[in-house]
Structures are given as C-alpha cells and as structure tokens.
Amino acid sequence: MIAPPLRSNAIDLIGNTPLVLLKGPSEASGCEIYGKCEFANPGASVKDRAALYIIRDAEARGDLKLGGCVVEGTAGNTGIGIALVANALGYRTIIVMPDNQSKEKMDTLRALGAELVLVPPTKYSDCNHFVHTSRRLAEETDGAVWANQFDNTANRKAHIEGTAQELWEQLEERVDGFTCAAGTGGTIAGVGMGLKQLDETVAIALTDPHGAALYNYYANGELAAEGSSVAEGIGQGRITGNLEGAPIDTQFRISDEQGLEWVARLLREEGLCLGLSSGINVAGAVALGQYLKRQGRDTPRVATILCDTGFRYLSTLYNRDWLTAKGLPVFDWLKN
Ligand code: PMP
C-alpha cells in the first residue's frame, strides 16, 4: 500500500480528492459512473477549490494584503472554504448568506470565526440580494476584497487546472462524459473546459435542478425556470461570468425526488452520506451514461461531483419533520 503524501501546509490539503466507482448508479445505467469525493476537502465541499484560487488571485493582483478581509455572498460552502483559507493565510472573513440555508452551515461559519451576516432570500434583481449586499459590504470595509465567486473566473480556473486534470489522470485518460449541476457554474464550466482541452470528444452535460433557468437556456436559448427545488448551492437563473463559454453538449433536468432517491441509495448501499446536489448530480450522471449508450458509446465512463457532506444537512435532508414539511419522501429508516 502506498501511504498518502505528506503535505507541507494545510492549504495543500485542498484538491487531489479521491475518485470512487459508484456501484448502484453504474449497475442502473450499464455504465461506469464515478464520483469525485469533494466532501473530502478540509471544508467538506467542492468550494474549497474556488475559495483558494479566488484568494490567491486577489493576492497576486495586490488587492489583498496581510490582515486584510475577504467578503463574500454565499449559500454557505464557499464561505466555509474562504474562512478556512483566510484563517490559514492571515485574513478576516465576512460572509453574507440567505437566512433559509441550513443551520449547520451557519453554525460552521460562526465556529470558524467568520463574521456572519444573514439576509432574507430575495430575487437577484433586488438590491438587498445576498450577492449585492456582500459587494456593498466589501466596498465599505477597509482592506477588504469582494470574492465575487459568480463572475470571478478564478473560480472556474480552479477546476480547469485542478479537478479536470485530476479526473483525467484518475481515469487513466479515458473519460466519455462529465456532468454536474451549476451554482456559480465554476465546476461545470471549468471541468468542461479542462476536459475538452485534453480530449474534445468528452461529452459535457449540464444537470439542472427544478427552479433553475439553465436547462431551457442550453436546450432552446431561453433563460426560463419551471418548478422549484430545496437543493442548496445549485440552481442558477443567469449566465454568470463563470458560465460564459462553458462547453455544454447536452442537458438534463432532475427533480428533488430523483436526487433524494440516489442520496438514500448511496447512503444505505454504499456508505456515502451526501447533500442533495450530489444526489442530483448522480441522477444526471446516470442519464448521461444512458444518453452516451444511445449514441453508440460502449460502456461509457462518466464522472460527476459529490459536492459536499450530508452531515451539513442533519436538520434538513436527514430530518423526518423537515422532509415532511417540504412534501418530500422520508427515508425509510427515519420513519419511526
Ligand atoms: N453543490 C453544493 C452543495 C454547493 O455548495 C455548490 C456551490 N454553490 C455547488 C454544488 C455548485 O458548484 P458551482 O458553484 O461550482 O457551480
């Protein structure tokens, strides 16, 4: 057995995550479906990668100096990543978050020492939206930079240089397809661009939750949303800076119920405790595998992202009363 490498500092623990073959999804689709274990990052989500690249980029531009402050609007995971990286590099953190996100994320941010500002959820066009509030706070705070994860393409660069390259090597340079959902779009655009640079025949698919506008945009050129989703961190209504030029070949729309079914199966059958965006991604990966088989690819090899740990959602996804209140099916083992 080869021992995992020694790292010289905590920042180096970000990225180089394991890749796991997902048995149930592979059997269901007749493909090889792989999950990139982004919950294994120090902040337990895929967003540690973007946080590190955004902070390094601000330093390189000379905007962020020792003792400075990083301000961001986030559904939570980016804030957790930023707080950890900022702590390691000597910066303060101010995080603006909609107050309907999971309590676990709020408690985690406070525990990490971030200054947490909660705002009511509202439309992006409202000047009190969490993104606009965070930009204003950054402007008003001395020595602060605004991370701007939605439009700052340092975010997707983390996936072009990191995630895509790692997937390529881990899959021994044979990848037929990749799919995931978009929040900022940094992951789908960055992994898509990175993989296409390595092999232009890799199929890149957007997996969209209900309530988001991107499925319609890539299917027929119109930003239009239908339905709703309780998934945190995904569901986008506009073409962000990170999504501009994303090489999307096809798209799937996945319901919360379909995502939850995979969350339940991955937990019970494979021992993986994940958030809902991971379940939605896996449902999308199964759909992409089946699509590639119809296109004539033999036992396609499809990768997706296991975005964050389910421990972040004990009071929501894994809570009987919460699921019932949302009209969602309760996992069998939570029924009593
Ligand atoms: N899943 C979760 C749980 C997230 O927090 C995020 C980040 N918003 C995503 C998926 C989507 O990642 P990205 O911002 O790179 O599109």
Side-chain angles (χ1 to χ4, degrees), residues 120-144:
T122 179
K123 296 189 301 285
Y124 184 72
S125 54
D126 183 335
C127 65
N128 294 319
H129 186 268
F130 69 94
V131 171
H132 309 312
T133 306
S134 69
R135 187 191 55 238
R136 274 197 306 275
L137 267 175
E139 284 162 6
E140 290 161 8
T141 308
D142 277 346

Side-chain angles (χ1 to χ4, degrees), residues 23-228:
K23 213 163 114 283
S26 298
E27 278 168 14
S29 59
C31 307
E32 290 175 23
I33 309 271
Y34 293 90
K36 189 89 168 116
C37 298
E38 292 304 297
F39 56 82
N41 281 303
S45 94
V46 64
K47 298 304 305 205
D48 285 10
R49 295 179 186 265
L52 178 59
Y53 264 65
I54 286 170
I55 288 179
R56 288 298 194 203
D57 177 67
E59 289 175 333
R61 282 187 285 108
D63 293 345
L64 189 58
K65 304 209 170 53
L66 199 61
C69 178
V70 186
V71 185
E72 183 57 322
T74 154
N77 279 331
T78 306
I80 292 168
I82 287 177
L84 286 175
V85 174
N87 285 353
L89 297 175
Y91 308 118
R92 285 193 306 125
T93 313
I94 302 177
I95 298 300
V96 185
M97 187 169 153
D99 63 14
N100 61 347
Q101 301 300 295
S102 83
K103 182 176 176 302
E104 287 83 343
K105 285 184 189 161
M106 297 175 195
D107 290 344
T108 303
L109 281 160
R110 290 192 188 100
L112 297 179
E115 188 183 318
L116 187 59
V117 179
L118 295 176
V119 295
T122 179
K123 296 189 301 285
Y124 184 72
S125 54
D126 183 335
C127 65
N128 294 319
H129 186 268
F130 69 94
V131 171
H132 309 312
T133 306
S134 69
R135 187 191 55 238
R136 274 197 306 275
L137 267 175
E139 284 162 6
E140 290 161 8
T141 308
D142 277 346
V145 293
W146 183 41
N148 189 18
Q149 57 167 330
F150 291 89
D151 296 314
N152 180 347
T153 53
N155 170 357
R156 77 180 181 199
K157 199 170 173 204
H159 299 286
I160 297 173
E161 294 181 356
T163 323
Q165 197 65 44
E166 292 167 29
L167 280 170
W168 184 247
E169 286 165 27
Q170 287 170 313
L171 290 171
E172 295 172 329
E173 306 189 358
R174 182 168 87 73
V175 188
D176 293 296
F178 173 81
T179 188
C180 71
T184 64
T187 311
I188 184 73
V191 176
M193 288 170 162
L195 285 177
K196 292 267 193 196
Q197 279 169 15
L198 294 158
D199 177 357
E200 60 183 15
T201 70
V202 181
I204 305 299
L206 173 85
T207 291
D208 221 24
H210 289 199
L214 299 181
Y215 174 86
N216 274 323
Y217 179 79
Y218 290 111
N220 48 49
E222 199 192 337
L223 280 168
E226 285 152 50
S228 66

Side-chain angles (χ1 to χ4, degrees), residues 276-297:
L276 182 51
S277 66
S278 303
I280 287 176
N281 282 353
V282 170
V286 168
L288 176 58
Q290 289 164 338
Y291 166 90
L292 290 171
K293 278 203 333 196
R294 287 196 298 276
Q295 303 248 307
R297 293 209 203 186

